[in-house]
Amino acid sequence: SYADARSTATDEEVRVARRAYRAACQQTQSLDYCECMTGGMAQALAPADLDIATAAFSGRVVEASPAARARVSEAQAEVEPGCARYRR
């Protein structure tokens, strides 16, 4: 059995979170990098956790538990190496 973001959220919640993450990413990174990261991060994280990652791009501060921050860091560490070649 495999769990992903759609296991814990509706398709619409996932779409909204993906769009916000991609838009925040594109403020500082290339489109290709952001597409790559968005795909991986949105697959691995529930929308609430993806909001934590989105905040990092936009400079927003969000309250999050240490466990949630750890999930985000783990997902970034897993996804980023495959996307690094697209960084600006």
Side-chain angles (χ1 to χ4, degrees):
S1 172
Y2 177 75
D4 66 5
R6 287 189 166 88
S7 301
T8 59
T10 67
D11 287 347
E12 181 61 21
E13 290 170 322
V14 171
R15 275 191 293 272
V16 168
R18 285 177 66 103
R19 285 183 194 127
Y21 182 85
R22 186 182 304 110
C25 179
Q26 287 178 314
Q27 297 298 312
T28 60
Q29 292 296 329
S30 72
L31 175 63
D32 291 337
Y33 177 81
C34 294
E35 287 293 325
C36 183
M37 287 297 293
T38 299
M41 296 291 283
Q43 183 73 26
L45 298 173
D49 289 342
L50 192 56
D51 188 50
I52 297 165
T54 301
F57 280 121
S58 64
R60 282 188 303 119
V61 176
V62 294
E63 289 189 32
S65 70
R69 291 192 186 280
R71 284 190 300 273
V72 170
S73 292
E74 184 179 302
Q76 286 173 323
E78 196 172 299
V79 174
E80 211 284 328
C83 300
R85 67 180 173 257
Y86 302 117
R87 287 184 77 86
R88 278 191 187 160

